[in-house]
Amino acid sequence: MNVLVLGSGGREHALAWAIAKSPRLDSLFVAPGNGGTATIAKNVPLDMNDADAVIGFARSENIDLVVVGPEAPLVAGVADAIRAAGIAVFGPGAQGARLEGSKSFSKEFMLAHGLPTARYKKCTSQDEAMDYLHEVGAPIVVKADGLAAGKGVVVAGDMEEAEEAVRDCFAGDFGEAGSVVVIEEMLEGPECSMLAFLSEGKALAMPCAQDHKRAFDGDLGPNTGGMGVYSPVPCVTPELEAAMQEIMQNAAAATAKEFDDAYTGVLYGGFMLTAEGPKLLEFNARFGDPETQVIMPRLESDALEAFYMVATGKLDALDLRWTDQVAVCVVLASDGYPGSYEKGKVILGIEEAEELDGVTVFHAGTAFNQDDELVTNGGRVLNVVALADTFEDARELAYEACDKINFEGKQYRHDIALRALEA
């Protein structure tokens, strides 16, 4: 099979890496890709949001399957166009992608179909949002309604922080994404993610993962796209996992009722494990980033076969196998992230890190400069993943690998998966 992966981050490198291991693979392309995907596939300078360009390339290279990584092309309807062109595509259409593209739509979907979630209010003006804040008080959660690259959510501990978050949204900090604001009650408990393959109104859940959103150790600092992650999640008991799986199955069934075209691809459920049971914080319409970087290394089945069977409506025939080993991912970021940062810093030591047994380094924000040196090209630069029998061994291995990699301004958290080790 010839496969095209759309995207340029660590998630797409992990997806391409998993696909590249398949004996069914002939040719692999990534558009636009990064410094890591260039080592296992052919990077293509395509605009992944331009459906006509993607379809034209797919036809010219006889592509059998397109795997859409990021949310933006999904929300833009790129998967719809590819599917209409008769090419198999892994990724939901624009209707299904609204579950991520609009937080208010997602909340309405949850409530309409009896999926447990937090109470909320959709606000279309700053005055309306401020009035509601003063009505309900803090702590409270303020969310930009649209796509904000994982940074449009503020968990406000007091009214001052909540008001500032509202002002930032309506001031345009998140562009059009902040023109509508969702304010919801703050749920309490550990967070975790459950991703599931969806096709024809049915779901097949993957192992749970737990992300670290805050920039600094001790869960301090601003929210980021994710500074590290691990899988499985020790605090998720078999009973909790079964409850989450039931919610994802119900969500899958709801997509079949709600949308004109079957939701095909991955649905990401962000959960809070409350005293009353698991409740949904959000849906994403694609693989998580960095969750994918710990889920793919734990997949023992043929990833390409899995993606193709989901894309062609054969989910019922899919039998996935997962390793019992644990995976820990530490994100190496540029100095200043998630704020402003510099690019073009030379990266050294990745080969030495990957010589450690069980370590894989997925590239996120990397590129090659004019001297063919690998350099930083984003806020989150590398995902250092370690697979081992225990969390203690996986953490030790991941951080040993981090120490071998160097670039100017390298920053990372030192407490990734510590809560798993303590659990």
Side-chain angles (χ1 to χ4, degrees):
M1 297 179 67
N2 299 322
V3 180
L4 170 63
V5 176
L6 299 183
S8 61
R11 165 185 49 223
E12 288 75 36
H13 188 188
L15 294 173
W17 171 86
I19 291 168
K21 296 192 295 181
S22 172
R24 300 185 62 183
L25 180 70
D26 186 4
S27 300
L28 179 60
F29 303 89
V30 185
N34 59 37
T37 59
T39 65
I40 58 172
K42 182 177 181 180
N43 285 351
V44 184
L46 275 178
D47 179 357
M48 60 185 168
N49 296 307
D50 184 341
D52 290 339
V54 172
I55 292 167
F57 177 83
R59 285 177 170 159
S60 70
E61 297 294 337
N62 297 314
I63 296 297
D64 299 291
L65 175 67
V66 178
V67 177
V68 185
E71 59 274 19
L74 294 172
V75 171
V78 171
D80 294 295
I82 297 170
R83 203 170 281 118
I87 302 166
V89 58
F90 183 93
Q95 275 191 318
R98 284 193 72 198
L99 289 173
E100 178 169 4
S102 169
K103 293 182 176 64
S104 57
F105 173 81
S106 183
K107 297 291 285 190
E108 290 161 7
F109 176 90
M110 293 174 193
L111 292 179
H113 296 283
L115 305 175
T117 189
R119 295 187 301 274
Y120 79 103
K121 183 176 178 63
K122 172 185 175 181
C123 302
T124 57
S125 72
Q126 181 169 310
D127 287 344
E128 182 184 16
M130 289 298 188
D131 287 345
Y132 185 67
L133 279 182
H134 288 279
E135 177 185 330
V136 296
I140 199 77
V141 181
V142 179
K143 299 180 176 181
D145 184 68
L147 299 178
K151 304 179 186 70
V153 177
V154 173
V155 181
D158 55 43
M159 286 297 291
E160 183 179 356
E161 188 178 8
E163 290 173 353
E164 182 181 4
V166 167
R167 283 192 291 268
D168 288 345
C169 284
F170 286 107
D173 282 17
F174 305 108
E176 187 64 26
S179 61
V180 174
V181 169
V182 171
I183 299 175
E184 64 179 48
E185 71 170 317
M186 190 180 79
L187 300 176
E188 294 187 7
E191 283 189 48
C192 76
S193 306
M194 175 175 279
L195 282 65
F197 290 112
L198 258 66
S199 183
E200 306 294 335
K202 298 178 182 178
L204 181 60
M206 303 179 218
C208 292
Q210 193 164 63
D211 189 10
H212 296 67
K213 283 289 187 189
R214 298 284 187 167
F216 308 127
D217 289 358
D219 288 329
L220 300 176
N223 271 348
T224 70
M227 293 299 292
V229 63
Y230 59 88
S231 176
V233 183
C235 70
V236 176
T237 64
E239 293 77 17
L240 283 173
E241 187 168 25
M244 293 163 69
Q245 288 176 349
E246 182 179 1
I247 292 169
M248 296 302 288
Q249 290 287 356
N250 292 339
T255 65
K257 298 175 184 176
E258 187 89 18
F259 307 133
D260 296 332
D261 297 317
Y263 188 110
T264 303
V266 165
L267 183 64
Y268 168 127
F271 284 90
M272 184 74 82
L273 307 180
T274 75
E276 294 82 35
K279 292 188 178 183
L280 284 163
L281 295 172
E282 64 178 358
F283 279 131
N284 292 327
R286 38 70 190 178
F287 274 104
D289 188 349
E291 288 87 352
T292 309
Q293 289 87 300
V294 290
I295 290 175
M296 285 298 103
R298 297 191 64 210
L299 178 64
E300 293 182 330
S301 304
D302 186 320
L304 173 52
E305 184 178 73
F307 298 156
Y308 189 73
M309 290 176 73
V310 171
T312 53
K314 300 173 184 174
L315 184 68
D316 285 341
L318 193 55
D319 181 23
L320 298 180
R321 301 181 309 280
W322 305 91
T323 180
D324 290 331
Q325 287 189 302
V326 305
V328 172
C329 168
V330 180
V331 173
L332 302 183
S334 297
D335 184 33
Y337 177 79
S340 60
Y341 52 84
E342 296 181 356
K343 299 180 180 180
K345 308 300 183 183
V346 175
I347 304 168
L348 301 172
I350 292 178
E351 290 184 3
E352 290 80 357
E354 291 196 311
E355 287 175 357
L356 297 172
D357 188 30
V359 170
T360 305
V361 180
F362 294 121
H363 295 226
T366 69
F368 290 99
N369 64 15
Q370 60 186 11
D371 298 320
D372 206 31
E373 297 171 308
L374 185 70
V375 297
T376 63
N377 193 44
R380 291 187 294 173
V381 179
L382 297 167
N383 303 269
V384 181
V385 181
L387 200 64
D389 291 335
T390 67
F391 278 109
E392 184 175 13
D393 290 343
R395 267 180 49 84
E396 183 178 336
L397 190 58
Y399 281 108
E400 182 181 354
C402 288
D403 288 341
K404 293 182 180 294
I405 300 171
N406 289 291
F407 56 87
E408 184 184 337
K410 177 182 77 173
Q411 67 159 336
Y412 59 98
R413 283 183 56 164
H414 301 81
D415 60 350
I416 302 301
L418 188 60
R419 66 183 72 145
L421 184 60
E422 292 167 346

